[in-house]
Amino acid sequence: MSVFSAIICIAMVILALVAIESKRLLVSVIMLSAVGLLSVVLFVMMKAPDVAITEASVGAGLTTAIFLLSLRKLKRADAA
Amino acid sequence: MRRLIAAIISLLFFLMLITVLNTETEDKAGIPAYGDADLSSRVSERFVTKSVNGYDGEIVYGVTSDAETGSANLVTSIVVNYRSFDTLGEVTVLFISATGVGLLLGGGKKRIVEEIKVSPVARLASRIVTPLLLTLGIYVFIHGHLTPGGGFPGGAIIAAAFLLMMLTDEKRRAPSKLKILEGYMGLTYVLLGVAGLLISGSFLQNFLPSGTIGELLSGGLVPVVYSVIGLKVGAELSGILDDLACEGSDES
């Protein structure tokens, strides 16, 4: 395991802990997306480009968008 | 008409069950008698040890033709050739979840209006980027048997292009024809499977010639099935995003 992947792994663990412990849901969603993006780098380094493309488009991209849209819907439901 | 189509489809499934139950020959692996099945000869070990088309030499990219699957990307040949039935199940799962989101949130008539105005620069840039994203998505799912990617990431990229359009235009809605496209693509996948059943004798069998490895028209049914899956997934995910971005009809 190279130094680069070790740094990525540690950053992923820290970001995941922040995502769990954060008080604001918005911060949690952004941190989850960052964990997904870092795992894309790991997948590419482990020579799994299929998984990397799927994770980048679905895990880091669309899931975040769906989470953010549903957060906005929840806030509107609270305000009404 | 609708009942007739349903009757034909059920009849074909009945035919499939009957034929599968009765075929246990050399080239068609059907359902054997109770207790006779040797699982290790059917699952992973068979595919690890078998040679491709009886050819034991080296497979050369761009030269070797008429191989068993013919797709340069190994993952794709597993996903939509050897395990195509599982992929049909995955597509069904995605369809059911999209239907659930539509049932819970659908019926929204108007878009949620944002307080923040989109700047003209971002709007113009999104008009340039959106066609490029759509082209990338279509490229990813058409070239699924040659390069990494395939139907599911390609569909997700198409949905991302729709998300970009939606973010920069307050009135943009998903076209209602997307639902029709989604339904017909699912039907096309099943019909391709039934065609394989009628031509080659087992459901979703790859009945087209596999061609030369590395060409666009190779891999037999793989590019066709992945184009169908890409269009279906793109339409479904765009529909989910549209459902989430619109206001429900009960809260006016």
Side-chain angles (χ1 to χ4, degrees):
Chain A
M1 191 160 97
S2 66
V3 183
F4 190 56
S5 52
I7 293 173
I8 290 179
C9 288
I10 293 169
M12 276 174 71
V13 171
I14 292 173
L15 287 177
L17 284 176
V18 171
I20 296 171
E21 294 295 329
S22 166
K23 290 277 188 288
R24 297 176 60 199
L25 281 176
L26 185 63
V27 177
S28 298
V29 172
I30 303 294
M31 290 301 140
L32 191 67
S33 170
V35 171
L37 275 178
L38 286 177
S39 69
V40 168
V41 180
L42 277 188
F43 284 139
V44 171
M45 286 170 68
M46 288 188 281
K47 295 184 179 150
D50 282 271
V51 191
I53 287 183
T54 312
E55 174 71 30
S57 58
V58 178
L62 265 187
T63 314
T64 315
I66 287 179
F67 272 140
L68 288 179
L69 285 171
S70 38
L71 262 184
R72 185 177 70 172
K73 251 188 133 60
L74 281 177
K75 270 187 193 146
R76 288 179 69 87
D78 280 346
Chain B
M1 187 64 192
R2 211 175 283 171
R3 284 186 186 179
L4 188 68
I5 292 176
I8 290 172
I9 289 177
S10 349
L11 192 72
L12 285 174
F13 268 103
F14 181 69
L15 194 72
M16 177 187 85
L17 280 179
I18 295 296
T19 49
V20 163
L21 281 176
N22 283 331
T23 50
E24 177 63 10
T25 53
E26 282 296 318
D27 53 335
K28 293 174 187 173
I31 299 175
Y34 181 74
D36 282 352
D38 181 16
L39 268 188
S40 66
S41 69
R42 298 193 156 211
V43 201
S44 53
E45 196 182 321
R46 178 179 167 211
F47 292 114
V48 167
T49 55
K50 78 186 286 193
S51 73
V52 177
N53 216 13
Y55 174 74
D56 289 328
E58 196 180 359
I59 307 287
V60 185
Y61 183 85
V63 177
T64 308
S65 61
D66 293 330
E68 192 180 78
T69 69
S71 61
N73 187 4
L74 195 66
V75 178
T76 307
S77 74
I78 303 286
V79 170
V80 286
N81 205 343
Y82 292 113
R83 290 287 177 267
S84 200
F85 194 63
D86 296 7
T87 311
L88 183 61
E90 269 179 56
V91 169
T92 313
V93 166
L94 194 64
F95 168 69
I96 289 171
S97 51
T99 313
V101 172
L103 273 178
L104 284 174
L105 299 173
K109 292 290 184 288
K110 62 177 171 66
R111 282 282 312 271
I112 296 175
V113 184
E114 290 290 334
E115 290 84 11
I116 309 164
K117 286 286 170 204
V118 181
S119 84
V121 178
R123 189 166 299 172
L124 187 64
S126 84
R127 280 183 193 158
I128 298 170
V129 172
T130 306
L132 297 177
L133 262 181
L134 280 175
T135 315
L136 175 71
I138 291 170
Y139 169 82
V140 164
F141 71 66
I142 286 182
H143 287 244
H145 58 302
L146 302 176
T147 51
F152 292 95
I157 292 171
I158 289 177
F162 172 71
L163 175 71
L164 189 64
M165 278 198 279
M166 217 177 65
L167 284 179
T168 50
D169 188 352
E170 292 98 3
K171 294 193 176 67
R172 174 78 65 181
R173 295 288 311 266
S176 58
K177 291 193 175 95
L178 276 187
K179 307 246 180 227
I180 303 172
L181 176 76
E182 178 195 330
Y184 273 104
M185 284 302 128
L187 182 66
T188 311
Y189 195 2
V190 176
L191 284 183
L192 282 173
V194 172
L197 173 69
L198 293 180
I199 292 171
S200 303
S202 56
F203 192 64
L204 283 167
Q205 176 91 27
N206 196 345
F207 56 85
L208 293 175
S210 66
T212 307
I213 290 180
E215 286 180 2
L216 180 59
L217 288 175
S218 67
L221 211 57
V222 173
V224 183
V225 169
Y226 249 171
S227 305
V228 166
I229 293 176
L231 289 173
K232 184 170 165 60
V233 170
E236 263 164 1
L237 293 179
S238 305
I240 290 180
L241 288 174
D242 182 64
D243 283 338
L244 279 170
C246 291
E247 216 149 19
S249 53
D250 50 340
E251 38 168 307
S252 57

